[in-house]
Amino acid sequence: MALDVNAIVDQLKESSILELNDLVKAIEEEFGVSAAAPVAAAGAAGADAAAEKDSFTVELSEIGQEKVKVIKAVREITGLGLKDAKGLVDNAPSTLKEDVAKDEAEEMKAKLEEVGAVVNLK
């Protein structure tokens, strides 16, 4: 028995939502499948992609006790002048850099924590 795909598609176009819903239920029962399975698989793939984050935002949360050293570290990391670096430090929490690779973000965090600052990677 040959399957006439065009005829089936035409019938589906003319069907109501309730008829299509009944068709889906009948196919699920007859063949033991679920129409929702591909959606769940796509959601799981999206969660894995989110877990493997490849760019980060480096945020200075707290400056600690050594403000001058933190300003120097911020200048070194960002390449900003003294006034701009001091402004970032004075206005903490502040974003130092966005869309930074993981290795570079970890290096920045280490430099700032070494001088007593608290840094978050987002």
Side-chain angles (χ1 to χ4, degrees):
M1 172 171 128
L3 189 63
D4 188 1
V5 175
N6 291 332
I8 295 172
V9 170
D10 289 337
Q11 285 181 329
L12 291 174
K13 286 181 184 178
E14 295 172 5
S15 300
S16 70
I17 298 294
L18 292 174
E19 291 172 327
L20 293 173
N21 188 37
D22 291 340
L23 174 64
V24 169
K25 287 180 183 178
I27 290 172
E28 287 177 338
E29 289 174 9
E30 180 67 28
F31 298 106
V33 295
S34 173
V39 175
D48 290 342
E52 291 295 321
K53 195 171 180 182
D54 60 347
S55 65
F56 294 86
T57 298
V58 180
E59 178 185 81
L60 176 64
S61 298
E62 298 177 25
I63 59 172
Q65 299 295 321
E66 300 290 333
K67 182 177 178 180
V68 174
K69 290 181 181 179
V70 173
I71 293 171
K72 287 180 181 180
V74 168
R75 284 188 66 198
E76 180 183 333
I77 289 169
T78 62
L80 294 173
L82 179 61
K83 183 178 179 179
D84 294 330
K86 183 181 182 301
L88 282 175
V89 172
D90 286 341
N91 294 318
S94 56
T95 301
L96 299 181
K97 279 196 173 184
E98 295 180 343
D99 296 328
V100 180
K102 182 179 181 178
D103 294 338
E104 186 179 355
E106 291 291 338
E107 184 178 318
M108 290 178 195
K109 181 178 179 179
K111 284 182 183 179
L112 289 164
E113 286 179 343
E114 186 176 302
V115 292
V118 177
V119 180
N120 292 325
L121 300 181
K122 296 182 178 179

